[in-house]
Amino acid sequence: MGKILKNNLGLKLLAFLFAFLLWLIVVNIDNPVMSKTFSGIPVIVEHSEILTEQKKTYQIVDDTQNVDVTISAKRRTLSKIKAEDIIVTADIKEMYLDSQIPLEAMVVGYEGNYESIYTSPRNLQILIEENVSKTSNITPMATGEVRDGFVLGNLQTDPETVTINGPESLVDRISKVTAEVDVSGLGEDSILASQLMFYDEDNNLIDQSRLANNLGNFGVNVAVTLYKTRQVPVDVDTSKIAVKEGHSISSVKLAPEEIEIAGPDDILDEVDSIEIPAEEFEGQIVNSRTDFTLNLEEYLPNGVQLADSMANSMIITIAIERNGTRNYELPIGSITVKNLDDDLRMHYTKTEDLEVHVRGAKESLEELNIERMAVIDLKEYQKAGTYTVPVKIELPEDCSLEGIVTVEIILEKKENGG
């Protein structure tokens, strides 16, 4: 029996084959072929210079710049593969239909150790556009508040223009280029570094990732000039204002009487006041108290500006009086109220001063203080409502009112006896 086994070659081969098959089955059961999908693998675009040489550019569309990669390999091999081992390329040379580039995937260090590999999607989708350039002025802009006693004077960018290069559709959207700097707490002239910002016509910020410009990494600087401030009076020449016959100007009131201006030191030192010339009122005829509203910026010397550009309005109030009379401004709050019913409360419909004209001897008019003499008597006004009430003014015997003075009041019922 032993000789048969030793001399039977076919039986030996059969046994070897059986053992190999058994080993192969065990190995495959223990280390089977499996598949795994890796998500978000970035696509590397190759030979993009082909488009650059044609003065064209491309944009990846349909979110195909990151793809999924599915790999089939032995379990032990697959367990070792990491996402960073996977490279996905799109070769511009292989583009077809002017928009589709086939994707090729490989696993670095595992070449030939996997059964299959494919991407999803299978193609990179691109949009090809003309590459264009555009030169734009740079607008300097400041945020924040400078130190007290100073105002922002001049802003100047260096350089003043920038040449932008990129896809035509994106470059055409650029409506404004700005260089923004923060001047918070600044108390001296300074040069500040800034970054360019691109905006469309709706003032929306434009993403610059697909744009290039001729300034590169140098960026742009903004020279900030500060001006000192000072308060100066406003002088108004009313000599050419005409008043009706028998009358004269009794007072000229300015609001404001002083303004805060700013400018370079050498110019600011020469300004003692802001002059409103008589020619401004030439041809004006005043028959009663009249207000003139002027834009102060029109009367500032060259090189001088308002410290607050919003405070550019001035009101000039011209009051007139009949010759032999004097015009007085009677504050509403100075009027004494008599006989107000205990169940009522009162307030005035307007808070402006009343204009009161008094005739009398010059000496008496100069000494007169009508704020202590004005009274309204509400004895006849016992119900809630709106009333026009005469103002009684106790004048000296040698003085008299020119016309009737009235004031409009509102009487309201007190609630809960309050």
Side-chain angles (χ1 to χ4, degrees), residues 110 128 180 195 241 266 275 313 323 413:
Y110 293 88
I128 297 177
E180 300 178 5
Q195 296 296 320
I241 296 179
D266 57 337
E275 307 291 335
S313 181
N323 294 339
K413 195 75 174 177

Side-chain angles (χ1 to χ4, degrees), residues 218-275:
F218 294 100
V220 60
N221 291 325
V222 178
V224 181
T225 302
L226 300 185
Y227 292 154
K228 290 183 179 179
T229 64
R230 64 180 294 197
Q231 292 278 349
V232 294
V234 179
D235 292 334
V236 180
D237 186 345
T238 60
S239 60
K240 292 194 175 182
I241 296 179
V243 297
K244 62 182 180 180
E245 187 177 355
H247 292 71
S248 59
I249 295 176
S250 61
S251 66
V252 178
K253 291 187 176 181
L254 311 179
E257 295 181 347
E258 288 188 334
I259 61 172
E260 188 175 21
I261 59 174
D265 290 351
D266 57 337
I267 298 178
L268 208 60
D269 290 342
E270 300 296 322
V271 182
D272 295 322
S273 64
I274 302 301
E275 307 291 335

Side-chain angles (χ1 to χ4, degrees), residues 156 158 181 186 188-194 220-225:
Q156 182 69 46
D158 180 24
V181 290
L186 207 62
E188 61 182 0
D189 295 350
S190 303
I191 296 177
L192 305 177
S194 178
V220 60
N221 291 325
V222 178
V224 181
T225 302

Side-chain angles (χ1 to χ4, degrees), residues 334-342 344 346 348 372-382 389-394 407 409 411:
S334 69
I335 300 175
T336 300
V337 180
K338 291 184 177 181
N339 296 315
L340 175 62
D341 190 283
D342 292 339
L344 299 173
M346 184 209 84
Y348 297 102
R372 303 177 183 178
M373 305 174 178
V375 177
I376 56 173
D377 190 342
L378 302 183
K379 183 177 181 180
E380 304 298 326
Y381 306 92
Q382 302 298 312
V389 180
V391 179
K392 184 178 181 181
I393 300 177
E394 300 290 344
V407 64
I409 65 169
L411 297 177

Side-chain angles (χ1 to χ4, degrees), residues 204-224:
N204 297 314
L205 190 63
I206 295 175
D207 181 11
Q208 300 184 43
S209 60
R210 297 177 56 221
L211 297 170
N213 65 74
N214 64 317
L215 302 183
N217 296 325
F218 294 100
V220 60
N221 291 325
V222 178
V224 181

Side-chain angles (χ1 to χ4, degrees), residues 273-288:
S273 64
I274 302 301
E275 307 291 335
I276 309 297
E279 287 73 20
E280 182 63 40
F281 308 98
E282 192 166 9
Q284 298 284 352
I285 300 176
V286 177
N287 294 317
S288 60

